[in-house]
Amino acid sequence: MAVQKAILFQHQPLSLCLGGQLSSIEVAYQTYGRLNQDKSNVVLICHALTGDAEPYFYEPEQQGWWQSFMGDGLALDTSRYFFISTNVLGGCKGTTGPASINPQTNQPYGSQFPHILVQDMVKVQKALLEHLEIAHLHAVIGGSFGGMQATQWAIDYPDFMDNVVNLCASLSMSAEAIGFNHVMRQAVINDPHFYGGDYYATGNFPERGLAIARMLGMLTYRTDLQLAKAFGRATKNESDFWGDHFQVESYLTYQGQKFLARFDANSYLHLLRALDLYDPSFNYPNLTLALGRIKARYTLVAVETDQLFKLTELRKSKKQLEDSGVNLIYHELYSDYGHDAFLVDYTFFEQKIRQGLGQG
């Protein structure tokens, strides 16, 4: 099933939180399941950092990022709910982002793409739902960066949904996590083919920097336990002394190269910075008052082994939500997969997702 498109903000531009405007914003989205008569079964899915509008593919040769979670009778039950998933503002999978054509110049935005926050992404998602004549959501669900979007939905539009499910995202990034993101950005920015972000017309792309950034990112998504089980200190039969000598090095190189085929460097920079800057209290007097706006039942799931959104940060977020009077359901799970558990560890997350969606 092809990704669907909508063009929003054609008559009045979107004013962005950090200044500037965007008009005629194209949004890529996908739907799954069947909308019931009173439109009471709609669930919005918010994707993680490098995700897209397609958590599930119908074609057997392709895999979506939540392929094993979605389907008839599964945790994301398509026989019960009508799911909508969008590619976020600033992305590179069909929604307006740095690689899109700037109507003012008829050239890709590149370095001229404005700075964006999670709050801006949520405004675009809300506009899409209005375009689709959806007036209420049964739930908003997301993991990692998607969990931050789900949280902001509950703050900015507290009467719009009944349930929020946040998988593996604290209410803000730790200093360590921001540090990882900084190193990843510097790898891209210092690639000789980055050209300040205006590389689209050059025929060259900052592939080396983006691949290195992805390799570092993969180490924050996995765990030392999983890497030890998968690779240990095994070496390759034919190895490069300064390159892929160990199997784990070969794995990281493969992931970096694979990433180049599906992601844009500028989008990566903008989304990483939006991740760093996420602050639920932006435009509100303080965090307590911002979180106190949440009316939905809020489910928060933490993974003990998460290397990116660490357990201490999730527990801190739990207390902040509770202190603000949020109706909170909190779970801690152990998984060898670390942060990526919410994408692959169906056994651990199935029941928590069902409960978060109000199935018991």
Side-chain angles (χ1 to χ4, degrees), residues 225 229 302-305 332-337 345 348:
L225 200 65
K229 285 182 177 180
V303 174
E304 294 176 25
T305 54
E332 287 182 10
L333 304 172
Y334 177 86
S335 172
D336 286 352
Y337 290 102
D345 210 333
F348 283 88

Side-chain angles (χ1 to χ4, degrees), residues 23 161 242 299:
S23 59
M161 81 291 297
W242 297 118
T299 298

Side-chain angles (χ1 to χ4, degrees), residues 17 48 56 79 105 157 178 181 231-232 256 261 296 330 343 347 353 356-357:
C17 291
Y56 180 91
S79 68
T105 65
Y157 308 107
I178 292 171
N181 290 347
F231 307 108
Y330 178 75
L343 293 171
T347 302
I353 291 173
L357 294 178

Side-chain angles (χ1 to χ4, degrees), residues 57-75:
F57 282 110
Y58 292 100
E59 295 80 6
E61 68 277 5
Q62 298 188 70
Q63 290 287 306
W65 48 270
W66 248 354
Q67 190 85 9
S68 61
F69 286 74
M70 178 175 280
D72 190 350
L74 296 179

Side-chain angles (χ1 to χ4, degrees), residues 69 168 301 303 341-342 345-353:
F69 286 74
C168 307
V301 183
V303 174
F342 78 93
D345 210 333
Y346 183 80
T347 302
F348 283 88
F349 279 88
E350 175 193 9
Q351 195 56 36
K352 305 303 179 289
I353 291 173

Side-chain angles (χ1 to χ4, degrees), residues 3-281:
V3 172
Q4 302 172 73
K5 297 286 185 74
I7 300 178
L8 311 173
F9 300 98
Q10 296 184 78
H11 305 296
Q12 183 173 354
L14 170 68
S15 294
L16 300 166
C17 291
L18 297 181
Q21 296 180 329
L22 284 172
S23 59
S24 296
I25 297 173
E26 187 172 46
V27 179
Y29 70 97
Q30 187 57 287
T31 63
Y32 306 88
R34 180 174 296 179
L35 185 64
N36 63 14
Q37 189 169 8
D38 62 1
K39 299 183 178 181
S40 63
N41 68 333
V42 183
V43 175
L44 179 68
I45 297 176
C46 302
H47 68 72
L49 185 73
T50 62
D52 52 40
E54 297 189 89
Y56 180 91
F57 282 110
Y58 292 100
E59 295 80 6
E61 68 277 5
Q62 298 188 70
Q63 290 287 306
W65 48 270
W66 248 354
Q67 190 85 9
S68 61
F69 286 74
M70 178 175 280
D72 190 350
L74 296 179
L76 301 174
D77 191 346
T78 51
S79 68
R80 187 169 191 164
Y81 300 113
F82 180 69
F83 295 97
I84 301 174
S85 182
T86 80
N87 184 226
V88 295
L89 177 68
C92 56
K93 304 302 285 289
T95 294
T96 295
S100 302
I101 298 299
N102 181 346
Q104 304 299 319
T105 65
N106 209 32
Q107 299 294 326
Y109 280 99
S111 63
Q112 300 304 306
F113 192 76
H115 302 311
I116 52 175
L117 296 180
V118 168
Q119 285 82 350
D120 299 314
M121 300 171 192
V122 168
K123 287 179 185 177
V124 173
Q125 292 167 350
K126 175 70 158 46
L128 175 66
L129 294 183
E130 292 173 354
H131 172 75
L132 297 176
E133 299 182 341
I134 302 296
H136 192 78
L137 292 169
H138 175 73
V140 184
I141 181 172
S144 190
F145 190 44
M148 290 179 164
Q149 296 167 52
T151 297
Q152 199 60 44
W153 257 100
I155 293 170
D156 288 346
Y157 308 107
D159 295 310
F160 206 86
M161 81 291 297
D162 300 322
N163 302 282
V164 170
V165 183
N166 173 1
L167 309 177
C168 307
S170 56
L171 296 177
S172 60
M173 296 291 282
S174 68
E176 180 186 50
I178 292 171
F180 282 128
N181 290 347
H182 173 70
V183 175
M184 288 189 277
R185 275 191 300 273
Q186 295 310 305
V188 174
I189 291 169
N190 287 286
D191 187 298
H193 293 143
F194 182 62
Y195 301 114
D198 295 316
Y199 48 81
Y200 298 107
T202 69
N204 295 310
F205 293 84
E207 294 185 344
R208 183 179 300 177
L210 185 58
I212 292 171
R214 182 62 170 178
M215 286 191 277
L216 177 57
M218 292 302 296
L219 290 175
T220 69
Y221 304 149
R222 301 290 195 256
T223 65
D224 55 348
L225 200 65
Q226 185 199 17
L227 293 173
K229 285 182 177 180
F231 307 108
R233 289 181 51 80
T235 58
K236 295 185 64 179
N237 292 331
E238 296 182 8
S239 66
D240 177 353
F241 190 81
W242 297 118
D244 295 348
H245 179 69
F246 290 96
Q247 290 288 358
V248 66
E249 294 172 328
S250 179
Y251 164 76
L252 291 172
T253 296
Y254 168 76
Q255 292 295 333
Q257 292 299 312
K258 180 182 174 183
F259 191 56
L260 300 178
R262 70 177 187 87
F263 222 79
D264 176 62
N266 277 324
S267 280
Y268 199 55
L269 297 182
H270 278 276
L271 299 186
L272 276 176
R273 187 52 104 187
L275 187 67
D276 294 341
L277 291 174
Y278 181 60
D279 178 359
S281 67

